Amino acid sequence: MHILWFRRDLRLSDNESVARATAKAALVLPCFIIDPWFYEQPEVGKARVRFLFESLENLEKNLRSNSSQLYLFEGNSVDILQQLTQQLIQLGHRPKLYFNRDVQVEYGVSRDRAIANFYQQLNLECHIGLNNFLQTDDDRRDKWFDEYYTYVRQSPHLKPIHINTPQLSFNLPLVTFTELKQKYSHFYETKRVYFKGGETQAFSTLNSFLTKRFHGYHWKLSKPWLAQQKATSHLSPHLAFGTISVRTVYQSTKARARELADQPKAEFSLKAFRDRLRWHDSFTQRLYFHPEIAYTNRYPEFDEYYRPDELTSSQQELFHAWCEGLTGFPMVDASMRQLKTMGWMNFRMRAMCATFLTINCGISWHYGARHYMNYLVDGDLAIDNWQWQMQAGITNPLSETFRIYNPNKNIEEKDSDLRFIYHWIPKLLGYSLPEILQGKYIEHGLYPPPILDWSKTRLVNGKIVSDIRKRVRERLLANGGDELENAIAAKTTVEKYFESKDKQYKQFQEKEFLS
């Protein structure tokens, strides 16, 4: 009996554990465990839990079409799997467990280790596969780039045609999907669902993107209104829950690019998208080797400035205004309101709002990272918390400068027609771009004035962060060692990436492809 344990890989296509567990017509028990740990975390929001439940329901439907079913258990994952294994042994089976590695949180890592040790003690087999590319050998880090592309170009695991699942009864807490919706009805309370879960929906979203929506991706992805209107792929929550594999997306995109080989502009957009797929997986890889970055500063020098301490009364006011989209900075407020409503923002606005909270408001990234994870339907700990540290000025200390986004400048560059701002802040309808930049709306009391002086806080708090970065840089250069090598490698990677992007954009501009 093969136990097929699903986690963040809620799909049948290109799934290593599914392919191996169902081979040779073996008896397979597909299961998912609703572990209370997941939805009791302060960083888990309703949109993400609902997306998970929708994905499970679709997985059950797809399994049913293959003559199988999903056994939905509820309880502590380690306890459930131990009891399930023991009960199968009592029924005369010799279980073998299949699951794909999960590196998102330390709880998951320790949980998987406990399960693997339990199977080893019983002298039972346990196969741990890959959900997407992950390099587990520390000595091969410098080969990550090459090995990543080797992996995404390999033939995907075939989707099973038939899954041989017996009807069994267990003395364990099983849940039906009807009971699931009743018990967790508060996760279904959102008025509108912007991102629907499930493998079927993932493929539909990918196909619509590659059919038409990808055009202009390379410049539309930074425009919040266009991104909201699905100019970006909108696959991020599907990648987070594994309802589709990165390899499937990569190869489908590559195939579409070959079809459009005579359209350089379209091919360039698809290349930019594939670059983002690699960028996505690089964060998972970083978290695997540095799990501490999910909650601690990358460099200890920043512990004196960025701490998850209780906020002062003035900081609480700033944080509340930021969370509710009431800062008096229209681009920040529109983005934060979008986050609360849609559970999503495009990357540029996430970065802008992050620097506003950490640099201008002087509030630790820990608070912002948790707020994002409370609402993001595509919340990915590996990306979210590292990016918060990056926008807070912590990472890449060998560079003498770091970026602080100007909210007003972003209106001019990314929303000059004000469609994004008008949509999320209707009180500003009728004001022109110059009037909004000049703050004319403040005179009429329709919208709150700025909660801080952006230029002043940029200089004061920016200098504090810059000075700490200088101390980190001096220590690394003085001490050398692995930490310096990692910092140099990170700086080189970032510089090479942006140099290549700048060169590519310049070439296209010269050919007037961006007209």
Side-chain angles (χ1 to χ4, degrees), residues 28-40:
V28 181
L29 183 78
C31 67
F32 184 89
I33 303 171
I34 301 175
D35 195 320
W37 178 90
F38 174 73
Y39 56 80
E40 290 175 355

Side-chain angles (χ1 to χ4, degrees), residues 192 194-195 220 223-232 234 334 338 342 344 346 419-420 423-424:
R192 179 179 173 186
Y194 290 90
F195 298 88
K220 289 179 180 178
K223 304 274 189 176
W225 177 252
L226 295 178
Q228 180 176 317
Q229 300 304 305
K230 300 185 178 181
T232 54
H234 282 213
Q338 180 190 36
M342 292 184 64
W344 185 83
N346 73 317
R419 297 182 71 181
F420 182 69
H423 180 82
W424 294 106

Side-chain angles (χ1 to χ4, degrees), residues 199-341:
E199 182 177 9
T200 302
Q201 183 62 43
F203 274 89
S204 176
T205 302
L206 173 62
N207 291 336
S208 71
F209 177 66
L210 295 181
T211 299
K212 184 178 180 180
R213 294 190 292 111
F214 75 90
H215 287 288
Y217 171 88
H218 54 282
W219 63 272
K220 289 179 180 178
L221 82 167
S222 294
K223 304 274 189 176
W225 177 252
L226 295 178
Q228 180 176 317
Q229 300 304 305
K230 300 185 178 181
T232 54
S233 74
H234 282 213
L235 283 168
S236 53
H238 292 286
L239 294 175
F241 281 98
T243 54
I244 196 168
S245 73
V246 170
R247 178 160 53 193
T248 296
V249 177
Y250 175 89
Q251 294 187 9
S252 299
T253 306
K254 194 74 173 177
R256 181 65 169 139
R258 286 193 294 269
E259 294 174 359
L260 302 171
D262 60 341
Q263 301 180 36
K265 192 173 180 180
E267 196 175 17
F268 186 74
S269 290
L270 293 171
K271 173 65 167 61
F273 176 65
R274 292 197 302 277
D275 286 344
R276 300 299 285 186
L277 290 176
R278 185 187 70 239
W279 177 88
H280 169 275
D281 279 1
S282 70
F283 285 93
T284 301
Q285 185 66 62
R286 183 183 288 110
L287 184 65
Y288 180 78
F289 287 122
H290 296 287
E292 72 281 357
I293 63 176
Y295 52 87
T296 62
N297 293 308
R298 179 67 181 88
Y299 299 101
E301 284 85 350
F302 282 94
D303 291 349
E304 65 188 53
Y305 190 64
Y306 289 129
R307 299 187 301 271
D309 297 346
E310 184 176 352
L311 298 178
T312 65
S313 57
S314 60
Q315 286 179 321
Q316 288 176 354
E317 292 179 8
L318 292 173
F319 184 60
H320 176 75
W322 179 82
C323 290
E324 298 299 321
L326 297 171
T327 67
F329 290 85
M331 202 60 161
V332 172
D333 293 342
S335 300
M336 296 304 295
R337 294 179 189 190
Q338 180 190 36
L339 173 65
K340 289 195 73 172
T341 302

Side-chain angles (χ1 to χ4, degrees), residues 314-463:
S314 60
Q315 286 179 321
Q316 288 176 354
E317 292 179 8
L318 292 173
F319 184 60
H320 176 75
W322 179 82
C323 290
E324 298 299 321
L326 297 171
T327 67
F329 290 85
M331 202 60 161
V332 172
D333 293 342
S335 300
M336 296 304 295
R337 294 179 189 190
Q338 180 190 36
L339 173 65
K340 289 195 73 172
T341 302
M342 292 184 64
W344 185 83
M345 280 193 282
N346 73 317
F347 176 75
R348 179 64 171 253
M349 297 304 105
R350 297 187 196 197
M352 180 194 67
C353 292
T355 59
F356 185 88
L357 183 71
T358 54
I359 304 299
N360 298 103
C361 295
I363 293 175
S364 179
W365 63 268
H366 298 83
Y367 284 90
R370 173 173 291 185
H371 182 77
Y372 272 18
M373 291 296 286
N374 277 337
Y375 285 95
L376 287 171
V377 67
D378 62 357
D380 186 313
L381 196 68
I383 298 175
D384 186 64
N385 287 26
W386 179 266
Q387 277 297 316
W388 267 96
Q389 294 206 41
M390 178 177 286
Q391 307 310 331
I394 298 172
T395 65
N396 195 22
L398 294 185
S399 174
E400 296 185 4
T401 60
F402 63 100
R403 192 168 197 172
I404 303 175
Y405 291 88
N406 185 326
N408 281 347
K409 187 178 179 182
N410 271 272
I411 297 177
E412 294 181 277
E413 294 180 352
K414 308 302 178 185
D415 192 39
S416 58
D417 59 6
L418 302 176
R419 297 182 71 181
F420 182 69
I421 287 177
Y422 287 159
H423 180 82
W424 294 106
I425 313 176
K427 288 185 177 181
L428 294 183
L429 277 168
Y431 287 96
S432 66
L433 177 61
E435 288 173 332
I436 287 181
L437 294 176
Q438 294 167 19
K440 293 293 185 181
Y441 50 84
I442 298 174
E443 301 171 4
H444 303 95
L446 296 175
Y447 186 65
I451 59 175
L452 50 78
D453 184 324
W454 185 85
S455 297
K456 181 179 179 180
T457 52
R458 178 186 181 278
L459 289 173
V460 175
N461 296 339
K463 187 177 187 309

Side-chain angles (χ1 to χ4, degrees), residues 468-486:
I468 298 175
R469 288 171 61 85
K470 182 179 179 180
R471 283 163 40 203
V472 175
R473 185 163 58 251
E474 291 174 346
R475 174 177 65 82
L476 292 176
L477 294 173
N479 296 342
D482 293 340
E483 198 172 16
L484 175 60
E485 289 184 13
N486 291 336

